[in-house]
Amino acid sequence: MTLALETTELKIELSLDGDWFTVCDLSTLLPGRGVAALLPDGHQAAIFRDRSGELFAIDNRDPFTGAAVLSRGLTGTHQGRPFVASPLLKQRFDLASGQCLDDEEVRVTAYQVRTA
């Protein structure tokens, strides 16, 4: 017997060009883990829920390798800033701003995220 995932009424939405785009159900996000979502323009976003329940979304593409893997990275905090470390070369990206914490010249897109 296969059990269906429990769903909630709450959906995760990203702000894209002034409109809100629904990407997934809140219950699909486990604290400390990420998921990838395909966006209407063909790009991918990496969606995260930290252990306090706060939501973050950044571009899923690792700018150092070109691979869409940031959603599979390890999450943590550095000086109070939540980050994800790329699973490939381990560069850390601030989840709130998209700024690379290891190379100040590199940044990924950070999306405004909400539940609705």
Side-chain angles (χ1 to χ4, degrees):
M1 177 163 98
T2 303
L3 297 177
L5 289 175
E6 185 177 324
T7 60
T8 66
E9 295 291 325
L10 294 176
K11 305 294 182 196
I12 306 295
E13 296 182 337
L14 301 184
S15 178
L16 302 175
D17 299 322
D19 289 325
W20 290 97
F21 177 73
T22 301
V23 292
C24 66
D25 191 272
L26 179 61
S27 65
T28 63
L29 293 177
L30 299 175
R33 306 283 303 267
V35 298
L38 184 61
L39 303 179
D41 65 1
H43 288 91
Q44 293 181 22
I47 318 298
F48 297 90
R49 182 180 186 185
D50 71 9
R51 287 173 177 77
S52 70
E54 192 169 355
L55 299 171
F56 301 95
I58 60 172
D59 190 5
N60 195 34
R61 185 180 166 275
D62 179 340
F64 293 95
T65 64
V69 295
L70 293 182
S71 64
R72 300 292 172 231
L74 297 174
T75 60
T77 58
H78 175 70
Q79 298 179 346
R81 297 168 68 180
F83 71 83
V84 63
S86 173
L88 298 178
L89 300 177
K90 310 304 184 233
Q91 285 89 355
R92 298 166 300 155
F93 296 90
D94 185 303
L95 289 174
S97 69
Q99 179 65 51
C100 179
L101 301 178
D102 302 302
D103 185 339
E104 64 184 39
E105 294 183 16
V106 178
R107 167 184 302 271
V108 296
T109 301
Y111 298 96
Q112 186 177 2
V113 60
R114 72 176 186 186
T115 57

